[in-house]
Amino acid sequence: MPNQITGNSEETECLELARQSTYEIQRLAETMQVVAEQFCSEEHPVINGIMARISVLSDITYHAAALHGEGRSESRPLNELRRAFKGRI
C-alpha cells in the first residue's frame, strides 16, 4: 500500500504541475498577443496566430485532461474540444 499512496501522491503532484504549467502557457500566449498588437509589424499576424493556437491547445489540454481537478464531467464536452483542435469553433 505505501507504494500506491506514493504513486497517487506523485500523480496528484504531476497533475497539479501540469495544470499550473498549462495555465501559465495560456497567460503567456495571451500576453504575446497584446505585445504583438503594440508592435504593428509584418510579423504581427504570424505571432498573433501562433499565440492564439498555443492558447487554444492549452485550453484543450486543460479540459481534456481535467487538469482543473474536478473530473471530466466538469470539463468542456469532447466533441467541442475536437472541433477546437481542428480549428473550428
Side-chain angles (χ1 to χ4, degrees):
M1 273 280 187
N3 288 340
Q4 189 174 18
I5 292 170
T6 302
N8 288 339
S9 176
E10 186 174 318
E11 181 178 345
T12 300
E13 288 183 45
C14 285
L15 285 174
E16 177 61 16
L17 179 60
R19 186 194 66 76
Q20 290 175 4
S21 295
T22 300
Y23 178 80
E24 188 170 335
I25 288 168
Q26 188 171 5
R27 298 283 77 92
L28 288 169
E30 290 169 355
T31 301
M32 278 303 299
Q33 286 177 302
V34 172
V35 169
E37 288 174 7
Q38 299 297 319
F39 299 100
C40 296
S41 69
E42 293 177 16
E43 294 179 12
H44 168 66
V46 174
I47 293 170
N48 197 33
I50 291 169
M51 293 301 107
R53 183 65 177 162
I54 289 170
S55 185
V56 166
L57 292 173
S58 295
D59 187 60
I60 290 168
T61 301
Y62 181 78
H63 287 281
L67 296 178
H68 44 70
E70 298 179 18
R72 271 293 302 140
S73 63
E74 298 300 317
S75 294
R76 291 171 41 202
L78 182 57
N79 62 348
E80 185 179 321
L81 296 174
R82 284 182 180 147
R83 279 195 312 271
F85 186 79
K86 292 178 180 178
R88 300 179 198 120
I89 296 178

Coordinates of all heavy atoms in Angstrom, one line a residue:
M1 N 0.8 -1.2 0.0 CA 0.0 0.0 0.0 C 0.8 1.3 0.0 O 0.5 2.2 -0.7 CB -0.9 0.0 1.2 CG -2.2 -0.7 1.0 SD -3.4 0.3 0.2 CE -4.8 -0.8 0.4
P2 N 2.0 1.4 0.7 CA 2.7 2.6 0.7 C 3.1 3.0 -0.7 O 3.1 4.2 -1.0 CB 3.9 2.3 1.6 CG 3.5 1.2 2.5 CD 2.5 0.4 1.7
N3 N 3.5 2.1 -1.6 CA 3.9 2.5 -2.9 C 2.7 3.1 -3.7 O 2.8 4.0 -4.4 CB 4.4 1.3 -3.7 CG 5.8 0.9 -3.2 OD1 6.5 1.7 -2.6 ND2 6.2 -0.4 -3.5
Q4 N 1.5 2.5 -3.4 CA 0.3 3.0 -4.1 C 0.0 4.4 -3.6 O -0.3 5.3 -4.4 CB -0.9 2.1 -3.8 CG -2.1 2.4 -4.6 CD -3.2 1.4 -4.4 OE1 -3.2 0.7 -3.4 NE2 -4.1 1.4 -5.3
I5 N 0.2 4.7 -2.3 CA -0.1 6.0 -1.8 C 0.9 7.0 -2.4 O 0.6 8.1 -2.8 CB 0.0 6.0 -0.3 CG1 -1.2 5.3 0.3 CG2 0.0 7.5 0.3 CD1 -1.2 5.0 1.8
T6 N 2.2 6.6 -2.4 CA 3.2 7.4 -3.0 C 2.9 7.7 -4.5 O 3.1 8.8 -5.0 CB 4.6 6.8 -2.9 OG1 4.9 6.5 -1.5 CG2 5.7 7.6 -3.4
G7 N 2.5 6.6 -5.2 CA 2.2 6.8 -6.6 C 1.1 7.8 -6.8 O 1.1 8.6 -7.7
N8 N 0.0 7.7 -6.0 CA -1.1 8.6 -6.1 C -0.7 10.0 -5.8 O -1.1 11.0 -6.4 CB -2.3 8.1 -5.2 CG -3.0 6.9 -5.7 OD1 -2.9 6.6 -6.9 ND2 -3.7 6.2 -4.9
S9 N 0.1 10.1 -4.7 CA 0.6 11.4 -4.3 C 1.5 12.1 -5.5 O 1.3 13.2 -5.8 CB 1.5 11.3 -3.1 OG 2.0 12.6 -2.7
E10 N 2.3 11.2 -6.1 CA 3.1 11.7 -7.2 C 2.3 12.1 -8.4 O 2.5 13.1 -9.0 CB 4.2 10.7 -7.6 CG 5.2 11.1 -8.6 CD 6.2 10.1 -8.9 OE1 6.8 9.5 -7.9 OE2 6.6 10.0 -10.0
E11 N 1.3 11.3 -8.7 CA 0.4 11.6 -9.8 C -0.4 12.9 -9.5 O -0.5 13.7 -10.4 CB -0.6 10.4 -10.0 CG -1.6 10.7 -11.1 CD -2.6 9.5 -11.3 OE1 -2.3 8.4 -10.8 OE2 -3.5 9.7 -12.0
T12 N -0.8 13.1 -8.3 CA -1.5 14.3 -7.9 C -0.6 15.5 -8.1 O -1.0 16.5 -8.7 CB -2.0 14.2 -6.4 OG1 -2.9 13.1 -6.3 CG2 -2.7 15.5 -6.0
E13 N 0.6 15.4 -7.7 CA 1.6 16.5 -7.8 C 1.9 16.7 -9.3 O 2.0 17.9 -9.7 CB 2.9 16.1 -7.1 CG 2.8 16.2 -5.6 CD 4.1 16.0 -4.9 OE1 5.1 16.6 -5.4 OE2 4.1 15.2 -3.9
C14 N 2.0 15.7 -10.1 CA 2.2 15.8 -11.5 C 1.1 16.5 -12.2 O 1.3 17.4 -13.1 CB 2.5 14.5 -12.2 SG 4.1 13.8 -11.9
L15 N -0.1 16.2 -11.9 CA -1.3 16.8 -12.4 C -1.4 18.3 -12.0 O -1.7 19.1 -12.9 CB -2.6 16.1 -12.0 CG -2.9 14.8 -12.7 CD1 -4.1 14.1 -12.1 CD2 -3.1 15.0 -14.2
E16 N -1.0 18.6 -10.8 CA -1.0 20.0 -10.4 C 0.0 20.8 -11.1 O -0.2 21.9 -11.6 CB -0.8 20.0 -8.9 CG -0.7 21.5 -8.3 CD -1.9 22.3 -8.5 OE1 -3.0 21.8 -8.8 OE2 -1.8 23.5 -8.4
L17 N 1.2 20.2 -11.3 CA 2.2 20.8 -12.1 C 1.8 21.1 -13.5 O 2.0 22.1 -14.1 CB 3.5 20.0 -12.1 CG 4.7 20.6 -12.9 CD1 5.1 22.0 -12.3 CD2 5.9 19.6 -12.8
A18 N 1.1 20.1 -14.1 CA 0.6 20.2 -15.5 C -0.4 21.3 -15.6 O -0.5 22.1 -16.5 CB 0.0 18.9 -16.0
R19 N -1.3 21.3 -14.6 CA -2.3 22.4 -14.5 C -1.7 23.8 -14.4 O -2.1 24.7 -15.2 CB -3.2 22.2 -13.3 CG -4.4 23.1 -13.3 CD -5.1 23.1 -11.9 NE -4.3 23.6 -10.9 CZ -4.0 24.9 -10.7 NH1 -4.5 25.8 -11.5 NH2 -3.2 25.4 -9.7
Q20 N -0.7 23.9 -13.6 CA -0.1 25.2 -13.4 C 0.7 25.6 -14.7 O 0.6 26.8 -15.1 CB 0.9 25.2 -12.2 CG 0.2 25.1 -10.9 CD 1.1 25.0 -9.7 OE1 2.3 25.0 -9.9 NE2 0.6 24.9 -8.5
S21 N 1.4 24.7 -15.3 CA 2.1 24.9 -16.5 C 1.2 25.3 -17.6 O 1.5 26.3 -18.4 CB 3.0 23.7 -16.9 OG 3.9 23.5 -15.9
T22 N 0.1 24.6 -17.8 CA -0.8 24.9 -18.8 C -1.4 26.3 -18.7 O -1.6 27.0 -19.6 CB -1.9 23.8 -18.9 OG1 -1.4 22.6 -19.1 CG2 -3.0 24.1 -19.9
Y23 N -1.8 26.6 -17.4 CA -2.3 27.9 -17.1 C -1.3 29.0 -17.5 O -1.7 30.0 -18.1 CB -2.7 28.0 -15.7 CG -3.3 29.4 -15.3 CD1 -4.6 29.7 -15.6 CD2 -2.5 30.3 -14.6 CE1 -5.1 30.9 -15.2 CE2 -3.0 31.5 -14.3 CZ -4.3 31.8 -14.6 OH -4.8 33.1 -14.2
E24 N -0.1 28.8 -17.1 CA 1.0 29.8 -17.4 C 1.2 30.0 -18.9 O 1.3 31.1 -19.5 CB 2.3 29.5 -16.7 CG 3.3 30.6 -16.9 CD 4.5 30.4 -16.0 OE1 4.4 29.8 -15.0 OE2 5.5 31.0 -16.4
I25 N 1.2 28.8 -19.7 CA 1.3 28.9 -21.1 C 0.2 29.7 -21.7 O 0.4 30.6 -22.6 CB 1.3 27.5 -21.7 CG1 2.7 26.8 -21.4 CG2 1.1 27.5 -23.2 CD1 2.6 25.3 -21.7
Q26 N -1.0 29.5 -21.3 CA -2.1 30.2 -21.8 C -2.0 31.7 -21.5 O -2.2 32.5 -22.4 CB -3.4 29.7 -21.2 CG -4.7 30.3 -21.9 CD -5.9 29.6 -21.4 OE1 -5.9 28.7 -20.5 NE2 -7.0 29.9 -22.0
R27 N -1.6 32.1 -20.3 CA -1.4 33.5 -20.0 C -0.3 34.1 -20.8 O -0.4 35.3 -21.3 CB -1.1 33.7 -18.5 CG -2.2 33.2 -17.5 CD -3.4 34.1 -17.4 NE -4.4 34.1 -18.5 CZ -5.4 33.4 -18.5 NH1 -5.7 32.5 -17.6 NH2 -6.3 33.5 -19.6
L28 N 0.8 33.4 -21.0 CA 1.9 33.9 -21.8 C 1.5 34.2 -23.3 O 1.8 35.2 -23.9 CB 3.1 33.0 -21.8 CG 3.9 33.0 -20.4 CD1 4.9 31.8 -20.4 CD2 4.6 34.3 -20.2
A29 N 0.7 33.2 -23.8 CA 0.2 33.4 -25.2 C -0.7 34.6 -25.3 O -0.6 35.3 -26.3 CB -0.5 32.1 -25.6
E30 N -1.6 34.8 -24.3 CA -2.5 35.9 -24.4 C -1.6 37.2 -24.3 O -1.9 38.2 -24.9 CB -3.5 35.8 -23.2 CG -4.5 34.7 -23.5 CD -5.4 34.5 -22.3 OE1 -5.1 35.1 -21.2 OE2 -6.3 33.6 -22.4
T31 N -0.6 37.2 -23.4 CA 0.2 38.4 -23.3 C 1.0 38.7 -24.6 O 1.1 39.9 -25.0 CB 1.2 38.2 -22.1 OG1 0.5 38.0 -20.9 CG2 2.1 39.4 -22.0
M32 N 1.5 37.7 -25.2 CA 2.2 37.9 -26.5 C 1.3 38.5 -27.6 O 1.7 39.2 -28.4 CB 2.8 36.5 -27.0 CG 4.1 36.2 -26.4 SD 5.4 37.5 -26.6 CE 5.5 37.6 -28.4
Q33 N 0.0 38.1 -27.6 CA -1.0 38.7 -28.5 C -1.1 40.2 -28.3 O -1.1 41.0 -29.2 CB -2.3 38.0 -28.4 CG -2.4 36.6 -29.0 CD -3.7 36.0 -28.7 OE1 -4.2 35.8 -27.6 NE2 -4.4 35.6 -29.8
V34 N -1.1 40.6 -27.0 CA -1.2 42.0 -26.7 C 0.1 42.7 -27.1 O 0.0 43.8 -27.7 CB -1.5 42.2 -25.2 CG1 -1.3 43.7 -24.8 CG2 -2.8 41.7 -24.8
V35 N 1.2 42.1 -26.8 CA 2.5 42.7 -27.2 C 2.6 42.8 -28.7 O 3.0 43.9 -29.2 CB 3.7 41.9 -26.6 CG1 5.0 42.3 -27.2 CG2 3.7 42.0 -25.1
A36 N 2.2 41.8 -29.4 CA 2.2 41.9 -30.9 C 1.4 43.0 -31.4 O 1.8 43.6 -32.4 CB 1.8 40.5 -31.5
E37 N 0.2 43.2 -30.8 CA -0.6 44.3 -31.3 C 0.0 45.7 -31.1 O -0.2 46.6 -31.9 CB -2.0 44.3 -30.5 CG -2.8 43.1 -31.0 CD -4.1 43.0 -30.1 OE1 -4.4 43.9 -29.3 OE2 -4.8 42.0 -30.3
Q38 N 0.9 45.8 -30.1 CA 1.5 47.1 -29.8 C 2.6 47.4 -30.8 O 3.0 48.5 -31.0 CB 2.1 47.0 -28.4 CG 1.1 46.9 -27.3 CD 0.1 48.0 -27.2 OE1 0.5 49.2 -27.4 NE2 -1.1 47.7 -27.0
F39 N 3.2 46.3 -31.4 CA 4.3 46.5 -32.3 C 3.8 46.0 -33.7 O 4.2 45.0 -34.2 CB 5.5 45.6 -31.9 CG 6.1 46.0 -30.6 CD1 5.8 45.3 -29.4 CD2 6.9 47.1 -30.5 CE1 6.3 45.7 -28.2 CE2 7.4 47.5 -29.2 CZ 7.1 46.8 -28.1
C40 N 3.0 46.9 -34.3 CA 2.4 46.5 -35.6 C 3.6 46.4 -36.7 O 4.0 47.3 -37.2 CB 1.5 47.6 -36.0 SG 0.1 47.8 -35.0
S41 N 3.9 45.2 -36.9 CA 5.0 44.9 -37.8 C 4.4 43.8 -38.8 O 3.3 43.3 -38.7 CB 6.2 44.3 -37.2 OG 6.0 43.0 -36.6
E42 N 5.2 43.5 -39.8 CA 4.8 42.5 -40.8 C 4.6 41.1 -40.1 O 3.9 40.3 -40.6 CB 5.9 42.3 -41.9 CG 6.0 43.6 -42.7 CD 7.0 43.5 -43.8 OE1 7.5 42.4 -44.0 OE2 7.4 44.5 -44.4
E43 N 5.4 40.9 -39.0 CA 5.3 39.6 -38.3 C 4.0 39.5 -37.4 O 3.7 38.4 -36.9 CB 6.5 39.3 -37.5 CG 7.8 39.2 -38.3 CD 9.0 39.0 -37.5 OE1 8.9 38.7 -36.3 OE2 10.1 39.0 -38.0
H44 N 3.4 40.6 -37.2 CA 2.3 40.6 -36.2 C 1.2 39.5 -36.5 O 0.9 38.8 -35.5 CB 1.6 42.0 -36.2 CG 0.3 42.0 -35.5 ND1 0.2 41.8 -34.1 CD2 -1.0 42.2 -36.0 CE1 -1.1 41.9 -33.8 NE2 -1.8 42.1 -34.9
P45 N 0.7 39.3 -37.7 CA -0.3 38.3 -37.9 C 0.3 36.9 -37.6 O -0.5 36.0 -37.1 CB -0.7 38.4 -39.4 CG -0.3 39.8 -39.7 CD 0.9 40.1 -38.9
V46 N 1.5 36.7 -37.9 CA 2.1 35.3 -37.6 C 2.2 35.1 -36.1 O 1.8 34.1 -35.6 CB 3.5 35.2 -38.3 CG1 4.2 33.9 -37.9 CG2 3.4 35.3 -39.8
I47 N 2.8 36.1 -35.4 CA 2.9 36.0 -34.0 C 1.6 35.8 -33.3 O 1.4 34.9 -32.5 CB 3.6 37.2 -33.4 CG1 5.1 37.3 -33.9 CG2 3.6 37.2 -31.9 CD1 5.8 38.6 -33.6
N48 N 0.6 36.6 -33.7 CA -0.7 36.5 -33.2 C -1.4 35.2 -33.4 O -2.0 34.6 -32.5 CB -1.6 37.7 -33.7 CG -2.8 37.9 -32.9 OD1 -2.8 37.8 -31.7 ND2 -3.9 38.3 -33.6
G49 N -1.2 34.7 -34.6 CA -1.7 33.3 -34.9 C -1.1 32.2 -34.1 O -1.8 31.3 -33.6
I50 N 0.2 32.3 -34.0 CA 0.9 31.3 -33.2 C 0.5 31.3 -31.7 O 0.2 30.3 -31.1 CB 2.4 31.4 -33.3 CG1 2.9 31.1 -34.7 CG2 3.2 30.6 -32.3 CD1 4.3 31.5 -35.0
M51 N 0.4 32.5 -31.2 CA 0.0 32.6 -29.8 C -1.5 32.2 -29.6 O -1.8 31.6 -28.6 CB 0.2 34.1 -29.3 CG 1.7 34.5 -29.2 SD 2.6 33.5 -28.1 CE 3.6 32.6 -29.3
A52 N -2.3 32.5 -30.5 CA -3.7 32.1 -30.4 C -3.8 30.6 -30.4 O -4.6 30.0 -29.7 CB -4.5 32.7 -31.6
R53 N -3.0 29.9 -31.3 CA -3.0 28.5 -31.4 C -2.5 27.9 -30.1 O -3.1 26.9 -29.6 CB -2.2 28.0 -32.5 CG -2.2 26.5 -32.7 CD -3.6 26.0 -33.1 NE -3.5 24.5 -33.3 CZ -4.6 23.8 -33.3 NH1 -5.8 24.3 -33.2 NH2 -4.5 22.5 -33.6
I54 N -1.5 28.4 -29.5 CA -0.9 28.0 -28.2 C -2.0 28.1 -27.1 O -2.2 27.1 -26.3 CB 0.3 28.7 -27.8 CG1 1.5 28.3 -28.7 CG2 0.7 28.5 -26.3 CD1 2.7 29.2 -28.5
S55 N -2.7 29.2 -27.1 CA -3.8 29.4 -26.2 C -4.9 28.3 -26.3 O -5.4 27.8 -25.3 CB -4.3 30.8 -26.3 OG -5.3 31.0 -25.3
V56 N -5.3 28.1 -27.6 CA -6.4 27.1 -27.8 C -5.9 25.7 -27.4 O -6.6 25.0 -26.7 CB -6.8 27.1 -29.3 CG1 -7.6 25.9 -29.7 CG2 -7.5 28.4 -29.6
L57 N -4.7 25.3 -27.7 CA -4.2 24.0 -27.4 C -4.1 23.8 -25.9 O -4.4 22.8 -25.3 CB -2.8 23.7 -28.1 CG -2.9 23.6 -29.6 CD1 -1.5 23.5 -30.1 CD2 -3.7 22.4 -30.0
S58 N -3.6 24.9 -25.2 CA -3.5 24.8 -23.7 C -4.9 24.6 -23.1 O -5.0 23.8 -22.2 CB -2.9 26.1 -23.2 OG -1.6 26.2 -23.7
D59 N -5.9 25.3 -23.6 CA -7.2 25.2 -23.1 C -7.8 23.8 -23.3 O -8.4 23.2 -22.5 CB -8.2 26.2 -23.7 CG -9.5 26.3 -23.1 OD1 -9.6 26.5 -21.9 OD2 -10.5 26.0 -23.8
I60 N -7.5 23.2 -24.5 CA -7.9 21.9 -24.8 C -7.3 20.9 -23.8 O -7.9 20.0 -23.3 CB -7.5 21.5 -26.3 CG1 -8.4 22.3 -27.3 CG2 -7.7 20.0 -26.5 CD1 -8.0 22.2 -28.7
T61 N -6.0 21.0 -23.6 CA -5.3 20.2 -22.7 C -5.9 20.3 -21.3 O -6.1 19.3 -20.6 CB -3.8 20.5 -22.7 OG1 -3.2 20.4 -24.0 CG2 -3.0 19.6 -21.7
Y62 N -6.1 21.5 -20.9 CA -6.6 21.7 -19.5 C -7.9 21.0 -19.3 O -8.2 20.4 -18.3 CB -6.8 23.2 -19.4 CG -7.3 23.7 -18.0 CD1 -6.5 23.7 -16.9 CD2 -8.6 24.1 -17.9 CE1 -7.0 24.2 -15.7 CE2 -9.1 24.5 -16.6 CZ -8.3 24.5 -15.6 OH -8.7 25.0 -14.3
H63 N -8.8 21.1 -20.3 CA -10.1 20.5 -20.2 C -10.1 19.0 -20.5 O -10.8 18.2 -19.8 CB -11.2 21.2 -21.1 CG -11.6 22.5 -20.5 ND1 -12.5 22.6 -19.5 CD2 -11.1 23.7 -20.8 CE1 -12.6 23.9 -19.2 NE2 -11.8 24.6 -20.0
A64 N -9.4 18.5 -21.5 CA -9.3 17.1 -21.9 C -8.7 16.3 -20.8 O -9.2 15.2 -20.5 CB -8.5 16.9 -23.2
A65 N -7.7 16.8 -20.1 CA -7.1 16.0 -19.0 C -7.7 16.4 -17.7 O -7.3 15.9 -16.6 CB -5.6 16.3 -19.0
A66 N -8.7 17.2 -17.7 CA -9.4 17.6 -16.4 C -8.4 18.1 -15.4 O -8.4 17.8 -14.2 CB -10.3 16.5 -15.9
L67 N -7.5 19.0 -15.9 CA -6.5 19.5 -15.0 C -7.0 20.4 -14.0 O -6.3 20.8 -13.0 CB -5.4 20.1 -15.8 CG -4.6 19.2 -16.8 CD1 -3.6 20.0 -17.6 CD2 -3.9 18.1 -16.0
H68 N -8.3 20.8 -14.1 CA -8.9 21.7 -13.0 C -9.2 20.9 -11.8 O -9.5 21.4 -10.8 CB -10.2 22.3 -13.6 CG -11.0 21.4 -14.3 ND1 -11.7 20.3 -13.7 CD2 -11.3 21.3 -15.6 CE1 -12.4 19.7 -14.7 NE2 -12.1 20.2 -15.8
G69 N -9.0 19.5 -11.9 CA -9.2 18.7 -10.7 C -10.6 18.3 -10.4 O -10.8 17.6 -9.3
E70 N -11.5 18.6 -11.2 CA -12.9 18.3 -10.9 C -13.5 17.2 -11.8 O -14.7 17.0 -11.8 CB -13.8 19.6 -11.0 CG -13.3 20.7 -10.0 CD -14.1 21.9 -10.1 OE1 -15.2 21.9 -10.7 OE2 -13.6 23.0 -9.6
G71 N -12.7 16.5 -12.5 CA -13.1 15.4 -13.3 C -13.6 15.8 -14.7 O -14.0 17.0 -14.9
R72 N -13.6 14.9 -15.6 CA -14.0 15.1 -17.0 C -15.4 15.6 -17.1 O -15.8 16.4 -18.0 CB -13.9 13.9 -17.8 CG -12.5 13.7 -18.5 CD -12.2 14.7 -19.5 NE -13.2 14.7 -20.6 CZ -13.6 15.8 -21.2 NH1 -13.1 17.0 -20.9 NH2 -14.5 15.8 -22.2
S73 N -16.3 15.2 -16.2 CA -17.7 15.6 -16.2 C -17.9 17.1 -16.1 O -18.9 17.7 -16.5 CB -18.5 14.9 -15.2 OG -18.1 15.2 -13.9
E74 N -16.9 17.8 -15.5 CA -16.9 19.2 -15.3 C -16.2 20.0 -16.4 O -16.0 21.2 -16.3 CB -16.3 19.6 -13.9 CG -17.1 19.0 -12.8 CD -18.6 19.5 -12.7 OE1 -18.8 20.7 -12.9 OE2 -19.5 18.6 -12.5
S75 N -15.7 19.2 -17.4 CA -14.9 19.8 -18.5 C -15.8 20.1 -19.7 O -17.0 19.6 -19.7 CB -13.8 18.9 -18.9 OG -12.8 18.8 -17.9
R76 N -15.3 20.8 -20.6 CA -16.0 21.0 -21.9 C -16.2 19.7 -22.6 O -15.3 18.8 -22.5 CB -15.2 22.0 -22.8 CG -15.2 23.4 -22.2 CD -14.3 24.4 -22.9 NE -14.3 24.3 -24.3 CZ -13.3 24.7 -25.1 NH1 -12.2 25.3 -24.5 NH2 -13.3 24.6 -26.4
P77 N -17.3 19.5 -23.3 CA -17.5 18.2 -24.0 C -16.5 17.9 -25.0 O -15.9 18.7 -25.6 CB -18.9 18.4 -24.7 CG -19.5 19.6 -24.0 CD -18.3 20.4 -23.5
L78 N -16.2 16.6 -25.1 CA -15.2 16.1 -26.0 C -15.4 16.5 -27.5 O -14.4 17.0 -28.1 CB -15.1 14.5 -26.0 CG -14.0 13.9 -26.8 CD1 -12.6 14.4 -26.5 CD2 -14.1 12.4 -26.7
N79 N -16.6 16.5 -28.0 CA -16.8 16.9 -29.3 C -16.5 18.4 -29.5 O -16.0 18.8 -30.6 CB -18.3 16.6 -29.8 CG -19.3 17.4 -29.0 OD1 -19.1 17.9 -28.0 ND2 -20.5 17.3 -29.5
E80 N -16.7 19.2 -28.5 CA -16.3 20.7 -28.6 C -14.8 20.8 -28.6 O -14.3 21.6 -29.3 CB -16.9 21.4 -27.4 CG -16.7 22.9 -27.4 CD -17.3 23.5 -26.2 OE1 -18.5 23.1 -25.8 OE2 -16.7 24.5 -25.6
L81 N -14.1 20.0 -27.8 CA -12.7 20.0 -27.8 C -12.1 19.6 -29.1 O -11.1 20.2 -29.6 CB -12.1 19.2 -26.6 CG -12.5 19.6 -25.2 CD1 -12.1 18.6 -24.2 CD2 -12.0 21.0 -24.9
R82 N -12.7 18.6 -29.7 CA -12.2 18.1 -31.0 C -12.4 19.2 -32.1 O -11.5 19.4 -32.9 CB -13.0 16.8 -31.4 CG -12.5 15.6 -30.7 CD -13.3 14.4 -31.2 NE -12.9 13.2 -30.5 CZ -13.7 12.2 -30.3 NH1 -15.0 12.2 -30.6 NH2 -13.2 11.1 -29.6
R83 N -13.5 19.8 -32.0 CA -13.7 20.9 -33.0 C -12.7 22.1 -32.8 O -12.2 22.6 -33.8 CB -15.2 21.5 -32.9 CG -16.2 20.7 -33.5 CD -17.5 21.4 -33.7 NE -18.0 22.1 -32.5 CZ -18.8 21.5 -31.6 NH1 -19.2 20.3 -31.7 NH2 -19.1 22.2 -30.5
A84 N -12.4 22.4 -31.6 CA -11.4 23.4 -31.3 C -10.0 23.0 -31.8 O -9.3 23.8 -32.4 CB -11.4 23.8 -29.8
F85 N -9.7 21.7 -31.6 CA -8.4 21.2 -32.0 C -8.3 21.3 -33.6 O -7.2 21.6 -34.1 CB -8.2 19.8 -31.6 CG -6.9 19.2 -31.9 CD1 -5.8 19.6 -31.1 CD2 -6.6 18.4 -33.0 CE1 -4.5 19.1 -31.3 CE2 -5.4 17.9 -33.2 CZ -4.3 18.3 -32.4
K86 N -9.4 21.0 -34.3 CA -9.3 21.1 -35.7 C -9.5 22.5 -36.3 O -9.5 22.7 -37.5 CB -10.4 20.2 -36.3 CG -10.2 18.7 -36.0 CD -11.3 17.8 -36.5 CE -11.0 16.4 -36.2 NZ -12.1 15.5 -36.7
G87 N -9.6 23.5 -35.4 CA -9.6 24.8 -35.8 C -11.0 25.4 -36.1 O -11.2 26.4 -36.6
R88 N -12.0 24.6 -35.6 CA -13.4 25.1 -35.8 C -13.9 25.5 -34.4 O -13.6 25.0 -33.4 CB -14.3 23.9 -36.3 CG -13.8 23.4 -37.6 CD -14.7 22.3 -38.1 NE -14.0 21.6 -39.2 CZ -13.7 20.3 -39.1 NH1 -14.0 19.5 -38.1 NH2 -13.0 19.7 -40.1
I89 N -14.8 26.5 -34.5 CA -15.4 27.0 -33.2 C -16.7 26.4 -33.0 O -17.4 26.0 -33.8 CB -15.4 28.5 -33.2 CG1 -13.9 29.0 -33.2 CG2 -16.1 29.0 -32.0 CD1 -13.8 30.5 -33.2

